[in-house]
């Protein structure tokens, strides 16, 4: 599988054409998960499926979707051929076809789209990120907070700004001015021997690696960790700042605005803890 081109399956069949109509395309009516695979094995699959299940419930998709996702995922992975050492798998679940208009069909037939792309692995400690402050803010919508729904225009505009500004990513605030996340990663502050991450009840995505840090990796290192609402000055005063997502694991932040950080010791310790759990 060429690293520059993803293999794609629609409802378990190889395809590069999306049947139309599809409410995922029309309205962003769907969910997605990004998984890290090692030699064809999806890491922390149960956590991804638990979040997907929460999204299925909130969007009112049929409960049978989770079984369809599992069956399709197993079918794709068994037919994908010789697996790469490391791959990124994107699993997209849409409500499928429907009549014109916003109202969902009474008996939808959801569609499962899977893409698979070979990527570098997370073994090496990543270089620190350079950040700018995003011009666009996360809007408050508690019903959609935490899940990975398909409406990602804020992140599209934020990523475009990062490219235009010549930085790796941007820090996103919510519409009340509280720190939320980066465009594609959760955020953590280090304050002494404790970690703080934004409280994601109004907006944002609750990542699987964020969950692992909160529940397992940080406690295993003797670090207290909490979810809190805070604003930019507290972040700029932190001893260390790092981010997390499914593909990279953890990555330090090196600079934002006039501030810079060079002590990445906590992030390095979490990276080592992450590596201990990898199957390689």
């Amino acid at each position: 599988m060429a690293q520059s081109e993803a293999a794609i399956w629609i409802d378990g069949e190889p395809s590069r054409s999306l049947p139309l109509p599809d409410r995922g395309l029309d309205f962003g009516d769907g969910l997605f998960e990004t998984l890290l695979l090692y030699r064809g094995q999806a890491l922390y699959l149960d956590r991804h499926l638990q979040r997907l299940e929460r999204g299925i419930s909130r969007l009112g998709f049929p409960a049978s979707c989770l079984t369809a996702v599992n069956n399709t995922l197993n079918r794709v992975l068994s037919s994908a051929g010789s697996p790469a050492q490391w791959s990124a798998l994107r699993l997209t679940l849409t409500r499928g076809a429907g009549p014109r208009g916003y109202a969902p069909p009474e008996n939808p037939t959801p569609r499962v789209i899977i893409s698979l792309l070979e990527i570098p692995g997370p073994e090496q400690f990543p270089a620190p990120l350079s950040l700018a402050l995003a011009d666009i803010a996360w809007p408050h919508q508690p019903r959609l907070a935490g899940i990975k729904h398909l409406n990602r225009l804020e992140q599209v505009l934020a990523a475009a700004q990062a490219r235009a500004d010549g930085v790796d990513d941007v820090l996103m605030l919510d519409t009340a001015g509280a720190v939320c996340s980066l465009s594609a990663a959760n955020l953590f502050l280090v304050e002494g021997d404790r970690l703080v991450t934004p409280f994601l009840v109004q907006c944002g995505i609750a990542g699987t690696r964020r969950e692992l840090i909160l529940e397992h990796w940080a406690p295993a290192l003797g670090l207290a960790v909490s979810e809190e609402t805070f604003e930019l000055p507290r972040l700029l005063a932190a001893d260390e700042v790092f981010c997390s997502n499914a593909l990279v694991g953890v990555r330090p932040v090196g600079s934002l605005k006039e501030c810079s950080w060079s002590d990445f010791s906590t992030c390095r310790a979490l990276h080592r803890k992450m590596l201990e759990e990898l199957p390689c």
Side-chain angles (χ1 to χ4, degrees):
M1 180 171 54
Q3 185 167 339
S4 60
E5 184 175 355
I8 301 172
W9 294 260
I10 299 177
D11 292 330
E13 297 294 331
S15 178
R16 304 196 72 83
S17 300
L18 179 66
L20 297 178
D22 188 277
R23 290 179 58 88
L25 175 63
D26 291 343
F27 308 120
D29 188 4
L31 303 154
F32 74 103
E33 292 288 330
T34 303
L35 291 80
L36 179 63
L37 271 61
Y38 178 72
R39 297 194 183 280
Q41 175 187 347
L43 304 185
Y44 305 110
L45 177 60
D46 55 338
R47 292 181 180 272
H48 286 280
L49 293 179
Q50 286 165 13
R51 181 173 57 189
L52 185 66
E53 186 175 21
R54 292 194 294 271
I56 286 170
S57 175
R58 290 199 209 173
L59 297 188
F61 277 34
S64 59
C65 282
L66 203 61
T67 300
V69 164
N70 265 310
N71 291 341
T72 304
L73 183 60
N74 290 333
R75 179 179 175 186
V76 165
L77 291 179
S78 65
S79 66
S82 179
Q85 179 161 321
W86 294 102
S87 304
L89 183 147
R90 173 167 166 141
L91 188 156
T92 303
L93 176 68
T94 80
R95 207 183 299 259
R100 185 183 180 281
Y102 289 131
E106 291 186 8
N107 298 297
T109 302
R111 180 167 287 142
V112 180
I113 305 164
I114 291 175
S115 64
L116 194 60
L117 179 68
E118 183 178 348
I119 62 169
E123 298 98 335
Q124 298 299 315
F125 187 69
L129 291 163
S130 60
L131 302 181
L133 185 62
D135 295 333
I136 190 167
W138 278 89
H140 285 190
Q141 180 46 268
R143 187 166 178 178
L144 299 178
I147 64 173
K148 296 192 75 167
H149 56 81
L150 294 182
N151 294 268
R152 293 292 149 215
L153 284 179
E154 290 88 3
Q155 287 69 56
V156 169
L157 296 178
Q161 180 194 336
R163 183 173 58 193
D165 289 352
V167 294
D168 297 312
D169 206 339
V170 291
L171 173 70
M172 299 188 69
L173 309 180
D174 67 15
T175 48
V179 172
C180 185
S181 69
L182 305 189
S183 72
N186 290 123
L187 194 69
F188 286 84
L189 312 187
V190 181
E191 297 176 331
D193 61 354
R194 63 191 298 267
L195 305 183
V196 180
T197 192
F199 198 37
L200 302 179
V201 293
Q202 299 292 342
C203 58
I205 298 172
T208 57
R209 280 20 175 211
R210 174 183 183 270
E211 188 177 73
L212 283 163
I213 292 168
L214 287 168
E215 296 178 4
H216 296 292
W217 297 347
L221 295 173
L223 297 168
V225 59
S226 62
E227 300 171 85
E228 301 180 21
T229 299
F230 58 89
E231 297 184 354
L232 184 59
R234 185 173 176 185
L235 183 150
L236 298 177
D239 299 324
E240 184 180 344
V241 180
F242 66 91
C243 67
S244 65
N245 70 19
L247 300 185
V248 175
V250 293
R251 185 172 181 180
V253 171
S255 63
L256 169 65
K257 295 171 70 71
E258 71 278 8
C259 286
S260 63
W261 294 270
S262 57
D263 178 8
F264 309 132
S265 54
T266 301
C267 188
R268 286 185 183 277
L270 287 164
H271 182 259
R272 288 193 295 269
K273 187 64 182 173
M274 177 193 75
L275 293 181
E276 290 174 6
E277 296 191 2
L278 294 181
C280 52

